[in-house]
Amino acid sequence: PQETCTEPSGRFVKGSGEIGVELLCVVKAVLKKIKRRVLVGDKVLVGSIDWVDRRGAIENVFQRKTEILDPPVANVDHLLVLFSLDQPKVESFSLTRFLVEAESTGIPLTLALNKSELVSQEEIKAWKSRLRSWGYEPIFCSIESKRGLDTLQFIMREQTSVIVGPSGVGKSSLINALRGNKHILGAVEEGNWFDPLLGSKWYEEQRVGEVSVRSGRGKHTTRHVSLLPLSDGGYLADTPGFNQPSLIKVTKNSLAHHFPEIRKMLKDGEPAKCAFSNCLHLGEPGCLVKGDWERYPYYLQLLDEIKIREEFQ
Ligand code: GDP
Ligand code: ZN
C-alpha cells in the first residue's frame, strides 16, 4: 500500500526500519498517456504494491532536481570529470571544454586525473597548482595501483554520480572498480520487467530490442543505463556521459559563468559587476575581467565558437 512508502522514491521503497526493498514496477498507463517519461534516477510514487512478489506500479513522477540527457538520468547530483595524466595525456583545451559542459549542467563537479602511476610526482604537483589556478581542486588517482579510489568513493557517498570524460582515460575501468560484486543488471535481465532502480530506459529499449529481433536485427543495439548502488549509499551511472561536449546549452552570455576564474573576478556577481550587464569581457569599458589568466584564450576561442553557432541557429 502507498502509505508504507515512507519516502516517495523509486530508488528505495522503505518499509519499517531502514531496509531498502527493490520493487519491479510497471508504469501506469495514465503516465504514458500524458507522455511523462520515467527516467533512471527519478523519484516516483509507487502504488499497488505486492510485497510477496515485490511488484508495484509507478503512479507519478516527482519533479526532477536535475536532468541530463547523455546518459539520460534524472536527479544526478554529482559529475565526476575524469581525465588521465598519460595515455592519453590530459590536454588543457579539451579539459576546459569538458569542464564548461559540466558546469553548464549546474550540477556540482569533481575533477579527477587518473593513471597517476604513469607520471612523476613533479608532474602531479605541476598539474595540481595549475588546476588550482583554474579554480579546481583535482583528485589524483590510479585505478591500476588503486590510488585515490577511497577518496573518490568518499566523494560519491550518498550522491548520484555520472562519470564524464574523453575515451581511454579509464571511465569504464573506474565504474567496474566501484561496481564491486553487484551485478544488478544481470538479475533483471532474467525477467521482462520494469525495475525502478534501473528505470524505464531499460524497459523501453528492451522492447525495442524485441522488435528488432523480429525484424531480423540484433538485440540490445541501443544504449541502456542503470544506477549501480555504491557501498556508502550513493549511486553511479554505469554508462559514462558526454564524451563529446557539445556546449549546446551554453550561450555567449552564459559562457563566462562556467569559468571559476571569471566568477571569482566578478565575485559571483555580488557586488562586483562589469559596467554593461551583457558584457562579454572583451575589453569593454568598465569590464572587471582582465585578460591575464591562463584560460582567457580558451574563453575567447569558445566564445567565437558559440557566436558562430548562435548566428546559424
Ligand atoms: P574509457 O574509455 O574512459 O572507459 O577507458 P577504459 O576504462 O576503457 O580504459 C582505457 C585503458 O586504460 C584500458 O586499457 C585500461 O586498462 C587503462 N587504464 C585504466 N585505468 C588505468 C590506470 O590507472 N593506469 C593505467 N596505466 N592504465 C589504466
Ligand atoms: Zn566584463
Side-chain angles (χ1 to χ4, degrees):
Q2 229 161 267
E3 55 270 24
T4 55
C5 305
T6 53
E7 197 185 299
S9 165
R11 298 173 182 184
F12 279 111
V13 179
K14 284 180 187 159
S16 52
E18 283 299 304
I19 303 155
V21 178
E22 274 179 35
L23 294 172
L24 296 169
C25 295
V26 291
V27 180
K28 276 268 169 83
V30 61
L31 281 185
K32 289 182 182 162
K33 221 174 205 167
I34 58 168
K35 297 208 164 43
R36 284 290 293 279
R37 211 159 83 95
V38 186
L39 282 185
V40 174
D42 262 326
K43 302 231 170 196
V44 297
L45 183 67
V46 177
S48 315
I49 297 174
D50 176 341
W51 291 107
V52 179
D53 287 343
R54 295 193 176 181
R55 290 174 185 183
I58 294 177
E59 296 182 340
N60 215 338
V61 183
F62 286 77
Q63 183 143 24
R64 293 176 185 139
K65 275 192 294 181
T66 63
E67 180 183 323
I68 61 169
L69 298 173
D70 180 19
V73 184
N75 300 316
V76 171
D77 34 29
H78 176 235
L79 293 175
L80 180 67
V81 179
L82 190 69
F83 270 68
S84 56
L85 288 156
D86 204 3
Q87 300 176 17
K89 260 195 197 322
V90 47
E91 198 277 307
S92 50
F93 185 58
S94 163
L95 176 54
T96 296
R97 287 190 85 91
F98 273 91
L99 290 169
V100 167
E101 181 85 337
E103 295 260 5
S104 76
T105 64
I107 300 168
L109 68 88
T110 302
L111 172 58
L113 295 177
N114 187 32
K115 311 198 189 184
S116 65
E117 93 285 359
L118 295 178
V119 301
S120 65
Q121 280 304 316
E122 285 68 41
E123 204 166 329
I124 290 175
K125 266 191 197 149
W127 270 110
K128 192 173 189 164
S129 66
R130 193 169 167 196
L131 294 169
R132 273 185 176 166
S133 80
W134 296 11
Y136 298 99
E137 194 59 53
I139 290 167
F140 294 91
C141 65
S142 163
I143 297 153
E144 183 83 11
S145 68
K146 304 211 157 47
R147 182 187 163 193
L149 295 186
D150 289 354
T151 313
L152 289 178
Q153 233 162 335
F154 182 75
I155 284 167
M156 292 198 265
R157 76 197 182 283
E158 290 166 18
Q159 305 204 68
T160 298
S161 301
V162 169
I163 302 180
V164 303
S167 73
V169 300
K171 298 183 299 297
S172 316
S173 309
L174 181 57
I175 291 164
N176 285 332
L178 298 173
R179 186 193 296 271
N181 50 14
K182 294 177 195 120
H183 290 282
I184 52 171
L185 201 63
V188 169
E189 269 172 342
E190 287 165 17
N192 208 0
W193 280 95
F194 173 81
D195 186 318
L197 196 64
L198 301 175
S200 62
K201 195 69 190 158
W202 181 83
Y203 182 69
E204 282 164 17
E205 289 180 353
Q206 185 68 9
R207 287 185 14 182
V208 169
E210 282 165 14
V211 170
S212 57
V213 165
R214 253 180 255 130
S215 66
R217 274 185 260 125
K219 224 177 168 182
H220 291 301
T221 46
T222 43
R223 208 162 83 119
H224 58 249
V225 51
S226 59
L227 294 177
L228 304 166
L230 299 175
S231 51
D232 299 318
Y235 290 97
L236 175 63
D238 73 344
T239 309
F242 48 89
N243 73 27
Q244 299 263 298
S246 64
L247 307 184
I248 207 76
K249 284 193 167 167
V250 186
T251 64
K252 66 176 189 294
N253 285 105
S254 72
L255 179 66
H257 302 293
H258 307 319
F259 282 81
E261 304 95 318
I262 299 184
R263 291 203 297 259
K264 198 173 161 202
M265 283 183 256
L266 297 177
K267 300 201 174 72
D268 284 324
E270 283 300 331
K273 281 198 183 92
C274 300
F276 297 109
S277 64
N278 60 352
C279 185
L280 293 177
H281 322 303
L282 300 170
E284 294 93 328
C287 177
L288 299 180
V289 177
K290 307 277 172 293
D292 59 349
W293 43 289
E294 187 195 349
R295 295 202 301 165
Y296 187 61
Y298 297 161
Y299 168 74
L300 297 179
Q301 195 169 335
L302 292 176
L303 189 63
D304 274 343
E305 196 181 299
I306 291 162
K307 274 179 172 169
I308 290 167
R309 191 195 67 212
E310 287 182 354
E311 267 170 40
F312 283 95
Q313 260 170 5

